Amino acid sequence: MNGSDPEIEMIVRGGTVVDASWSGPADVLIGGGRVLALSAPGAPLPPGAEDAHVIDATGRLVLPGGVDAHCHVGYTSGEYTSLDGYRECTTAAVFGGTTTIVDFAIPQRGERTIDVAHRQRELAAEGLCDSALHASVIEWDDTTAEQLAQLCAEGIVTVKMFTTYRGETMADADTILNTMKVLRDHGGMAVVHCEENAIIEEDQRRSVERSEIDAAHMAATRSELAELAAVSEVVALAESVDAPVYLVHQSTPAAVELAAAARRRGVRVYTEAVAHHLVLDDARYRGENPERWVCCPPLRPRATVDALGTYLAKGEITTVSSDHCCYDLEQKEAHVEDVREMPNGLPGVETRLPVLFSRYVNGGGLDLRRFVELTAANPAKVNGIYPRKGALMPGSDADIAIWDPAEVWTLEAAKLHMATDYTPYEGHEVTGRPTTVLVRGTVVVDAGELVDGTARGRHVPSAPLDPAAWLV
Ligand code: URP
Ligand code: ZN
Ligand code: ZN
Ligand code: ZN
């Protein structure tokens, strides 16, 4: 340490540090909101550290705070707007060990991509933790290329598009291709929801004929084939113009295999899975209150869920996100008789890491470093915010989640912090819990309680993605 370094204000002592690149016992020295150094356990402290606040992490895991690359905050789709703002969403995030969210700025028809992104970016300041942003294109016009170039220059480099939701957010293939080309040339990347809309509308038409369009029949209204068809086309579009692409919420091994095959031929394809597709299955639609699990793509059969899980350790899944969408029961129940009129999406920003940890790390064979890679490092890398986020190394923001890997607790909506009155995991017993969470060196959650609710969120600009290199 020389005189110009920030002073050591805090030390997380005695824990096992787990970064994607390294893990072992170490003390974490923090100052100026950053990680200053990792030091061998019990090593003599540098001068000036005597007054530092010490957090005892003995017996705990010390992880970089999670990065949730797929989070819809206050999302309007059709007649429904999800119920959280940045304050609520990030409060739930930090309780769940996540310290950076990546939200979407999705236009309504007629709104400009850039205006919506600028408006949404301002909301970051209401958060308890930092956030990055995906812009979105739903219709191509003469000004779109320029808007995208400007957004990339400003640090919003990822752009969401949908191959479904006709009449709302669906983009046609020309729009997707044009967007990919511009992003490729400006250090950006398309982020695509892949479900072939024509197949879905046909699935739904047949469901109506059978009088099976209610929530109990959700799974049959959006087939795995629809997902495969769209993944195949979107990968081909990216390949045809040598552009990178990030495929959100891939829910079946077949879709993951399509992406993996493209990667083997050199296409820069990244695969996202979401926690609920890795844990919950379509039996939920056949039980009570099926509307609580209505999401796109829908939950899949148990064999599919378990097979998807095997790809986590194999490395063919790049990230695990939440696809957080915070509707409440009143919204979910309003149109249970017709899934076409229901709000799609599940609340999950707070439960993503605990359910994944419990199911796949504790007894599921997922290596802890790989857990950090999937949930923090890789999401930060593909969004151009690594190693400021998603890493626990000198220079990184001191966004840290200290976990008790052995705490057994029960997920209940009443004890969670998302702005809704239910959780898809009600009554699930999980093992492992983030108990103390730091945002840029400030303890915000301690012993499971909010100890600092200051709105200190910042929009984190993404660095341009290197068009010549793999991001992960
Ligand atoms: O059901 C979902 N996933 N709703 C949120 C919007 C989307 O498609 O990601
Ligand atoms: Zn989606
Ligand atoms: Zn989504
Ligand atoms: Zn209605």
Side-chain angles (χ1 to χ4, degrees):
M1 304 268 150
N2 66 43
S4 63
D5 283 326
E7 71 180 271
I8 298 164
E9 294 155 6
M10 188 179 286
I11 303 171
V12 178
R13 172 171 273 175
T16 300
V17 171
V18 185
D19 182 73
S21 63
W22 177 85
S23 116
D27 297 341
V28 185
L29 280 47
I30 295 165
R34 305 235 164 167
V35 175
L36 299 177
L38 300 180
S39 83
L45 292 176
E50 306 78 23
D51 299 330
H53 174 65
V54 174
I55 297 177
D56 180 10
T58 307
R60 311 265 157 148
L61 301 173
V62 181
L63 271 52
V67 177
D68 190 339
H70 190 152
C71 238
H72 300 272
V73 186
Y75 174 46
T76 298
S77 171
E79 69 182 85
Y80 304 97
T81 299
S82 65
L83 295 172
D84 50 3
Y86 271 66
R87 179 166 191 87
E88 294 79 15
C89 183
T90 56
T91 300
V94 293
F95 271 102
T98 288
T99 51
T100 306
I101 61 164
V102 191
D103 180 25
F104 299 86
I106 297 178
Q108 304 292 310
R109 295 255 157 217
E111 287 185 306
R112 283 183 355 135
T113 291
I114 194 167
D115 297 337
V116 181
H118 285 166
R119 196 171 68 212
Q120 198 79 354
R121 182 174 61 185
E122 293 301 310
L123 303 177
E126 297 170 11
L128 269 59
C129 65
D130 293 346
S131 54
L133 193 59
H134 306 292
S136 174
V137 171
I138 60 176
E139 268 171 319
W140 188 263
D141 69 30
D142 295 348
T143 70
T144 311
E146 209 167 300
Q147 291 180 50
L148 294 176
Q150 187 180 331
L151 283 171
C152 285
E154 292 175 8
I156 298 175
V157 304
T158 45
V159 177
K160 176 78 174 285
M161 287 172 288
F162 298 85
T163 65
T164 184
Y165 307 133
R166 191 203 299 275
E168 289 181 24
T169 49
M170 181 169 136
D172 60 23
D174 301 315
T175 298
I176 296 174
L177 194 76
N178 288 338
T179 300
M180 285 174 166
K181 282 162 60 183
V182 174
L183 293 173
R184 174 201 64 198
D185 294 342
H186 292 86
M189 177 164 68
V191 169
V192 189
H193 172 134
C194 296
E195 287 182 297
E196 169 49 58
N197 197 68
I199 296 178
I200 287 168
E201 288 188 8
E202 176 62 14
D203 286 343
Q204 291 178 337
R205 196 188 58 73
R206 287 198 295 243
S207 295
V208 170
E209 273 176 10
R210 296 192 302 265
S211 300
E212 291 181 349
I213 196 65
D214 58 309
H217 296 91
M218 179 67 196
T221 66
R222 304 185 90 92
S223 63
E224 295 188 30
L225 191 60
E227 183 175 342
L228 280 178
V231 167
S232 182
E233 171 160 31
V234 167
V235 167
L237 292 172
E239 186 166 7
S240 73
V241 295
D242 195 19
V245 64
Y246 178 89
L247 306 173
V248 296
H249 51 47
Q250 294 206 281
S251 71
T252 88
V256 174
E257 282 292 352
L258 271 181
R263 259 197 307 280
R264 286 193 289 272
R265 12 173 236 280
V267 189
R268 281 173 303 137
V269 183
Y270 304 98
T271 285
E272 176 190 83
V274 298
H276 51 257
H277 289 137
L278 288 159
V279 176
L280 301 171
D281 67 43
D282 65 357
R284 299 288 167 163
Y285 301 126
R286 299 188 289 276
E288 276 174 37
N289 307 119
E291 65 280 356
R292 297 183 183 193
W293 292 275
V294 165
C295 57
C296 304
L299 301 181
R300 302 298 193 190
R302 176 48 52 186
T304 303
V305 174
D306 290 340
L308 186 67
T310 65
Y311 285 83
L312 290 171
K314 278 194 249 171
E316 269 132 354
I317 291 175
T318 314
T319 62
V320 179
S321 305
S322 68
D323 198 2
H324 171 78
C325 230
C326 207
Y327 299 111
D328 70 1
L329 287 177
E330 190 183 334
Q331 292 172 311
K332 295 301 264 187
E333 289 165 0
H335 287 286
V336 286
E337 75 291 346
D338 191 337
V339 294
R340 296 169 300 177
E341 292 185 39
M342 288 190 61
N344 293 305
L346 310 181
V349 70
E350 186 171 4
T351 46
R352 173 182 72 125
L353 297 178
V355 299
L356 197 75
F357 186 95
S358 188
R359 166 68 184 79
Y360 288 101
V361 177
N362 267 330
L366 186 66
D367 171 61
L368 260 173
R369 279 175 49 194
R370 176 75 181 144
F371 173 76
V372 169
E373 187 170 63
L374 286 164
T375 59
N378 284 355
K381 286 178 183 176
V382 297
N383 283 287
I385 56 174
Y386 184 88
R388 175 170 169 190
K389 302 296 185 186
L392 216 165
M393 51 177 73
S396 299
D397 281 355
D399 288 349
I400 295 174
I402 303 174
W403 284 65
D404 179 346
E407 181 172 338
V408 179
W409 57 300
T410 302
L411 301 174
E412 295 168 77
K415 293 190 182 156
L416 296 170
H417 304 83
M418 295 179 283
T420 176
D421 49 2
Y422 85 104
T423 165
Y425 303 97
E426 187 71 32
H428 276 231
E429 190 177 89
V430 291
T431 303
R433 183 175 199 166
T435 52
T436 300
V437 178
L438 280 65
V439 170
R440 297 201 314 270
T442 298
V443 178
V444 295
V445 171
D446 193 28
E449 299 288 335
L450 188 68
V451 294
D452 187 338
T454 308
R456 57 168 55 78
R458 292 181 187 164
H459 166 76
V460 185
S462 300
L465 309 174
D466 183 346
W470 290 89
L471 301 168
V472 163

